[in-house]
Amino acid sequence: MGRIGKFTTPHGTVTTPALMPVVHPGKQTLDVKKLGAEIVITNSYIIYKNEELKEKALKDGVHPLIDFPHTIETDSGSFQLSVYGDIDITNEEVIKFQEAIKTDIGTSLDIPTAPYVKRSKAEEDLAITIERAKQAAEVNEELILNSVVQGSTFPDLRLKCAEEISKFDADIYPIGAVVPLMEMYRYADLVDVVMYSIRGLPEDKPRHLMGAGHPMVFALAVAMGCDLFDSAAYILYANKDRFMMPDGTLRLEDLIEMPCSCRVCCEYTPDDLRKMPQDERAKLIAEHNLHISFAEIRRIRQAIVDGELMKLVELRCRAHPFLLDGLRRLKEYQKDMMKLNPSSKKNAFFYTGEETLNRPEVLKHQKQLENIQPTSNSLVILPHTRKPYTKYLNKEYIKKYTPEIVSYYTNSCNLDFSDADVVVADIPFGIIPLGVDEFYPLAQNESPAIHDEDAKQFMKKAICDYTNKYDNILIHKKIVDKYDLDLTDEYTIVDAPITLPDAKISDFDRLKMIADYQFGTNAGNVLFGDDPDKIKIEKSRKTGKIRHVFEDKQNIVNMRANDGFLILSDLGAKRLHEAFDAPHMRVVVAEDAEEYARKGKSVFNKFVLDVDEPIRHNDEVLIVNGDDELLAFGKSLLSSYEIKDFNSGQAIKTRKWKN
Ligand code: GUN
Ligand code: ZN
């Protein structure tokens, strides 16, 4: 769910994920703009309560006051409310004050309800927060407006709040009252709070995880869809001689070496720092803390582009058992993650531990497997070899293990498996039909040889689910042993001669299976018919992989080399459009955009009237008008959920008609 975004304010453009250092309007010592801050956050209530600051801010604006020329966000005093129980400013006053001091992003006076309070308390507070969000939107004239999600630790209240405040005209949706959860290391509860909040928020607005300032949690929070963080922690930790690191916190008193390679860590030794006056030292440690925090943000952005955010999340969450609790809790939200997960990513999928089984790719594969219909009532399940499997599996390989093959659920004595479907069993994806073994991420993944208990359980379920469709199943003994399959009642070791299938799969059958897997059941027939002689397949001379597919010199599809996806050409698009009813694969564009789409121009989000729910980033789509006429075809740049919510930017990269 992580994304890279940009938003523009009167004082500049902010790239997200972003960290907003907290700047104290009265006693800031560190120059955060020199350290790379594009945006900072300060507190309008502190300014309001101090006559000198107030006068200066009202006269010149908040930017000169804190000496920061770029985007400034201000908070409203809600946090003071949660700490001191009372403040003397109203919601309307604080909005008007933030306008008067010319802040870029302002915040209404939400009520941060503590975690684990009584439900009645959470509901009472929430009613006020929602009412104030509505009022803020009404009275606001100048501000980019924050509207904060509250609801304590009640997931349904978080969802309700998010849905309600999304109806008002706000620009950024912070998630509030999570500081106590983080202070208590209750990361699993944090995951519940954030995921339910995000479920109710629109995709086209940034979300700010309020008070999250430790780089340890950034990756996890970004993976849940948070875009903005604020850090007072860099200075608070520094005041206590603590060094923040992406995998925890270090105390100066313990250090024999400086922990990183920032300016401070290169120029000073721990002893130098220990000998310094406290305030001088704190300023230097704060600089380190901010440097490390920005570095983590940069690393996260790179990981998003590389398709490796979850790998980073899994790494970070291993730094603390309670973060691991948070990561494990994400399992409950696989379906939310699937709504936004790209269909194909740049880099390989790495298994880093049993939590990897909860990633959306794994569930998506189980769903897409249902697109592939059995072609026989017999199935042979082989252990994995090197990838791609088809390259390393052959009849000799299977024969070699014949005496070890055990039959499973075999209710027939017919041991002729020559026509059986052949699949491989492998972690983390479970059952992989040979025809799709080069499709992302089924080839582009690595996992260790020995598997833990969760992986074994996962494989048992995958095998049971898949074998339901077959009467006769042969399973290799290696699989039974490796995954501790407890099949005592269901299997017998086959000691009779068996006629085995060939694990070689023809290019034609492979194409059809990939089409079914990628586009839906029967897409293979629709695209390629059932006469292999009519279809001409061109392969890469270098890799031997399928590249172009023709019928009567007309291009039907091409295969993308890096992920094995079928890319539609004119004929392919027409055939799928004709055979599959709307809304399957459709992106419906408005009348004013029809002409542009026909000419092969990109489709912009604001012109999309409707989009098929399963469409994700990197999927092939059919671009149609309101009467379901095929205008063009192309590749989606976003998920259907994003396309529905976004009002600007590109949705679909259109391909040109060749004929
Ligand atoms: N800062 C940290 N938590 C909160 C919150 O819940 N609301 C506001 N307005 N500011 C915060
Ligand atoms: Zn450092």
Side-chain angles (χ1 to χ4, degrees), residues 149 154 247 296 301 380 435 451 460 497 542 617 620 648:
V149 184
F154 298 96
D247 56 357
E296 179 69 356
R301 289 186 196 156
V380 174
H451 293 301
K460 278 179 207 175
K542 225 161 77 191
H617 180 186
E620 293 296 291
S648 63

Side-chain angles (χ1 to χ4, degrees), residues 21 23 28 30-40 63 66-70 290 294:
V23 172
Q28 183 70 17
L30 197 65
D31 185 359
V32 297
K33 65 179 177 289
K34 275 209 189 115
L35 291 164
E38 278 186 329
I39 176 171
V40 298
H63 289 83
I66 63 167
D67 187 25
F68 189 74
H70 311 304
L290 214 46
F294 283 135

Side-chain angles (χ1 to χ4, degrees), residues 177-340:
V178 293
V179 171
L181 287 176
M182 291 185 289
E183 283 172 352
M184 291 184 276
Y185 281 65
R186 303 290 283 257
Y187 293 111
D189 291 348
L190 177 73
V191 166
D192 287 336
V193 161
V194 172
M195 291 304 279
Y196 270 89
S197 301
I198 299 251
R199 203 179 271 177
L201 293 175
E203 295 300 334
D204 63 337
K205 303 282 168 74
R207 300 103 177 213
H208 166 194
L209 191 62
M210 281 189 143
H214 200 300
M216 214 164 59
V217 303
F218 292 170
L220 175 63
V222 169
M224 295 191 285
C226 298
D227 307 291
L228 293 165
F229 304 96
D230 64 278
S231 178
Y234 73 100
I235 189 78
L236 300 176
Y237 277 61
N239 286 339
K240 291 186 171 162
D241 291 338
R242 277 164 166 71
F243 285 75
M244 300 169 113
M245 297 299 289
D247 56 357
T249 307
L250 304 169
R251 298 183 302 184
L252 176 62
E253 61 192 273
D254 298 332
L255 293 184
I256 58 160
E257 301 287 351
M258 295 301 276
C260 91
S261 49
C262 75
R263 181 189 76 88
V264 174
C265 290
C266 290
E267 288 182 12
Y268 300 87
T269 66
D271 274 338
D272 293 341
L273 292 176
R274 282 189 281 258
K275 280 183 215 142
M276 259 177 214
Q278 195 272 337
D279 54 342
E280 216 175 296
R281 173 167 78 227
K283 201 171 153 184
L284 290 170
I285 300 176
E287 182 178 331
H288 158 91
N289 287 345
L290 214 46
H291 171 87
I292 277 285
S293 302
F294 283 135
E296 179 69 356
I297 295 285
R298 291 195 297 270
R299 179 150 183 202
I300 289 169
R301 289 186 196 156
Q302 185 68 48
I304 293 173
V305 169
D306 292 343
E308 296 191 323
L309 179 60
M310 283 311 289
K311 188 175 110 181
L312 181 62
V313 172
E314 288 167 0
L315 176 70
R316 291 294 182 243
C317 288
R318 279 202 165 57
H320 195 289
F322 296 159
L323 273 171
L324 195 53
D325 279 338
L327 175 63
R328 289 181 177 166
R329 184 62 61 86
L330 272 186
K331 181 177 183 174
E332 311 296 324
Y333 302 97
Q334 222 175 359
K335 287 206 176 104
D336 296 84
M337 293 191 280
M338 248 173 78
K339 290 182 180 175
L340 292 149

Side-chain angles (χ1 to χ4, degrees), residues 126 129-130 133 147-152 154-170 172-176 192-203 205 207 645:
L126 189 57
T129 293
I130 293 173
S147 195
V148 187
V149 184
Q150 297 290 351
S152 185
F154 298 96
D156 63 312
L157 294 185
R158 288 278 176 178
L159 176 62
K160 180 188 152 200
C161 179
E163 286 172 348
E164 286 299 315
I165 63 179
S166 299
K167 293 176 190 160
F168 315 135
D169 194 15
I172 299 178
Y173 291 97
I175 297 168
D192 287 336
V193 161
V194 172
M195 291 304 279
Y196 270 89
S197 301
I198 299 251
R199 203 179 271 177
L201 293 175
E203 295 300 334
K205 303 282 168 74
R207 300 103 177 213
D645 284 356

Side-chain angles (χ1 to χ4, degrees), residues 593-607:
E594 247 191 83
E595 188 194 328
Y596 297 97
R598 280 190 204 275
K599 282 189 195 147
K601 297 266 187 338
S602 295
V603 174
F604 284 79
N605 285 304
K606 67 170 172 234
F607 295 116

